[in-house]
Amino acid sequence: MAESWSFLDTVESNFRPLVVIELAKGTKEETIEWFTKRIVDKKADGGAQLLIKPLVMENGHENIYLVGASHLRLLLGAETVGLVKECNDNSMRTFTYSSRKTFKDFADDNHNFLTMAECQYIIKHELDNLRAKNEKMIPGYPQAKLYPGKSIVRRLLTSGILVQIFPLHDREELKKLRHSWYGRVRVGYQPLDEIRCYFGETIALYFGFLEYFTFALIPMAVIGIPYYVFAWEDYDKYVMFATFNLLWSTVILEVWKRICAILTYRWGTLLMKRQFEEPRPGFHGVLGINPVTGREEPVYSSIKRQLRIYLVSLPFVCLCLYFSLYVMMIYFDLEQWALDYHKENESNFSSLMLYVPSIIYAVVIEIMNRIYRYAAEFLTSWENHRLESSYQNHLILKVLVFNFLNCFASLFYIAFVLFDMKLLRQSLATLLITSQILNQFAESLLPYWLQKRHNKRMKQRTCSQKTDIDLSLAEQVNMEKEMGTYLGTFDDYLELFLQFGYVSLFSCVYPLAAVFAVLNNITEIYSDALKMCRVYKRPFAEPTANIGVWQLAFETMSVISVVTNCMLIGMSPQVDALFPDSKMDLVLTVAFVEHLLLAIKFIMAFVIPDKPRDIQIKLAKLEFESLEALKQQ
Amino acid sequence: MAESWSFLDTVESNFRPLVVIELAKGTKEETIEWFTKRIVDKKADGGAQLLIKPLVMENGHENIYLVGASHLRLLLGAETVGLVKECNDNSMRTFTYSSRKTFKDFADDNHNFLTMAECQYIIKHELDNLRAKNEKMIPGYPQAKLYPGKSIVRRLLTSGILVQIFPLHDREELKKLRHSWYGRVRVGYQPLDEIRCYFGETIALYFGFLEYFTFALIPMAVIGIPYYVFAWEDYDKYVMFATFNLLWSTVILEVWKRICAILTYRWGTLLMKRQFEEPRPGFHGVLGINPVTGREEPVYSSIKRQLRIYLVSLPFVCLCLYFSLYVMMIYFDLEQWALDYHKENESNFSSLMLYVPSIIYAVVIEIMNRIYRYAAEFLTSWENHRLESSYQNHLILKVLVFNFLNCFASLFYIAFVLFDMKLLRQSLATLLITSQILNQFAESLLPYWLQKRHNKRMKQRTCSQKTDIDLSLAEQVNMEKEMGTYLGTFDDYLELFLQFGYVSLFSCVYPLAAVFAVLNNITEIYSDALKMCRVYKRPFAEPTANIGVWQLAFETMSVISVVTNCMLIGMSPQVDALFPDSKMDLVLTVAFVEHLLLAIKFIMAFVIPDKPRDIQIKLAKLEFESLEALKQQ
């Protein structure tokens, strides 16, 4: 390997720009010089051994740099990040430069062996791992301290010298992807493999999940339609629907794990070794010795963090929850007022008025969710978690708890305190539909429209009437750097999670919820695709093997839905009528059925293997091979 | 490594016998010659490169062989099995011969670097991995077929040529261990590290769990005593006791995981890589290609196995369960009869008679459990599982379900159908105490007595009056080979599992159960220790990192106990009295509290980390190092 590094030359004839680095205006010359030198420097000298070129802009805007790398450098980088690729014998293996010839489609002159997203991921990884040697500070900025081993890019980012790093779009590829993704109106699967090649595994997996989830909801929707059409209100039909729903929701979550394993095996991420997790950019503390790596790095006492979590964050979350409940009570006042109004002057207008409180409440819920989201991000960031994963977990927990209560508290209250099934149905429908409309608008259409207007103005300014594809590189960079940044799949999953709640928690009261969810998800696929392709900057690809904590969140929701549905069925007048003599027997029967269903759920989750048999065999084969190789050593 | 193998010489001056091989009487000469040659042959020639010596017996009994190995061979074997040992810098690392100097207490002339149990484990591993080359059958036994890669020892065992393989006791060491384990009467910890050195990790972990579990029960016992002494019957005290019990049982199971991690980290097994699992000895099928290894080996269709499981085993288990319930009904008839008898002629004798049905039932339960155990073993073996782990899981599942129902069905029936708390308490006490006495007797005292009688007779026959320690090697082998075989920790864990059920399922009715459990466990430690040291053959050490499926079994039991205790409390007359107006409210409140407790349980299980922080850091450190090493490559 040492040999192959020396082959590398930092000058290559065909420089292909992959990643854009934007430095702040007025960045000192010596800083730029030092930074670009570190990027170009040989690996042996502690550099990243990449290629970098300043971008000459027509409008004179400077400090934008294009980063690329030679083909050989990218292959060596693929080995460093531990990419897993398909071999000639159809097995998936970790790529190494020395075994490169055994990989499918590999040829020394085939520059498409690595996808553009992979190349950009490698460059990002190399830039992130560009570490300070003996520098005590960033040259030219004495306040931006460095210590041996500190990631230079992260320090540049936190001190504001580096504005952003983002990967370039590939206009040609994007056009092809757009066409096969949402260009033609058709019913069918999304081109997940193409999405993965262009946007990376995390985003492709989200779209895979969205698609799978939509298909999985179809049976529920189909069974739900006759309840609406024929106005079925019989208890036995509701019981059947709810029971089907509960078992179905367990099955779909288990089957997703299997499908996820199939997808990520094909993409190689199932086998990818977890990289050692470095501290997140925002993490700060006094310099100390990390007990794991033995390196000098900022250390922050775990007790201080616990104090921040339990003495500040927890009370704040509780306060927010209390506030959310308070708003809910106002909603019920409004609801009462609308009802009184409808009773007093009965008219078409007044019956429409009945929906107004729910709509207002739905809007308020959305607003509160969004404001809370910012607060949660701020607080979690302030808690100063060392690892990105720990930060994410705390953020997700905070957001999930609040969103769950905020969205569903009123429904729980209507169902189990007011016992008003009619209001529950109406409220559920209004909340679900309003939140779906709002989401679609706020997440995709609004940014799309803003972006379009912005582009138009930009074009007018540069007086060019070219289409996207003819733009010069400088124009393309200029346009893309102004686009919004995609902040990850968090909000998208959250939306699906809440939707899953609306569909499953009270499914036996409002079987039509699944129909709306399916309709929403079909448009969601298109609007999310639009968002990814046209509204936001291209995000860096992020390898992932599963949907992480969301699997747990969905499973928890499906457990809660067993409890709520059993309670709802137990409260229905038809079931009540079955036990005319003793309410005790009714409650005991319901409790028994609930426990039975929960037991079945857990047994099913336990019995259904998480990976399909052929994937299991392939994994066992790889494990066996590596054990054999170890023995041979 | 190839070099070091060549240093090995099969002849060494100081041959230390480690493992005994007993061949059947009248085994053909050519078979013995071929087998011993294979054991002695060089690794390069497909042999095991061990040392073997026939044992010359006074009474002319032949076909007993002693197996040993040179020091160097054992060190290389330690590398093959992947032993993890402590280094000079106190970290735990996988032993490799080339890095041997970095390990604590290593010296080329220190033959105690590997414990005797480790040496025996290595020899067993090497013998098990002695594979057929081109032999089509065992020489001299044409019906004992071989194929390339088949384990020779396993074929010899299944065809009855090899009677047994067992490791020799070390009389000196055993005496020391016995002394520090149960030699002196004292309150304190067991010498777990010494037990581990002598018997291996699986057995040491069982004793560790037994000890931990006993200590963990003490708070429950202490809190339970005043309930008996002061005859507390207040509902609030029972509720407190039950709530404490439920949370406590969650905590102890979570804390055990942490303690288990501490123990197995210290013993090196937490870090030990899982070896590739070979088919179990009893597995048979037609020759085919294993899709994982690509080797020729017996293949048995998964569908056939499924058919056997679902069409034979499952109905059989159901039948057994039905039979067990039938016996239970007979017990209730007996109970009724005893009650009638007591009413008719009231006397001391008749009130004693009240306990007789329970005692008889307890004995019958024990007998049924034991018979069922054999049936389950037979059936699971007939199901023809390929892997030992899969065999074990199916066996454990079968046995657990039956034992659970057999032991607790009558208690559930009394509690939730008859609503007779007095009978429940009496029945629980009788079942618990009788089963404990029976177990202690059947498991340890009876075998000990039999063994002692046997030894005496043996000694009389050889006319020698020596103590154990002075026995010649031949005498020692002769005595040990007649000892019973310890069949693993299964029965011991099962006993603890059922005890945990008695203590936790109905804890709020009979707080004294924990007291009896503690008393039983203290004697259990001694009797189990006695059993291991004096009654059974020394078992082969078996590395393990946790108590496996038992953790899950105990956790399931503690979930079930939440449900039963909440129901019991809800049914108590004192709680009843709190809700004079509405039984509905009572049931709803109980159901709510139950769900709350279950939620708390799951959150606690989720929040308490499975490994202590320092172990986590040590593991992260090792992972980091191996990632760094990979990068350097």
Side-chain angles (χ1 to χ4, degrees), chain B residues 326-340 357:
Chain B
Y326 191 78
V327 170
M328 182 188 85
M329 296 319 291
I330 295 175
Y331 158 63
F332 283 119
D333 287 347
L334 265 181
E335 191 74 53
Q336 193 55 49
W337 176 84
L339 217 64
D340 292 346

Side-chain angles (χ1 to χ4, degrees), chain B residues 149-163:
Chain B
K150 170 76 186 173
S151 163
I152 290 172
V153 166
R154 289 182 180 190
R155 172 55 80 233
L156 285 170
L157 272 172
T158 49
S159 53
I161 302 165
L162 187 58
V163 179

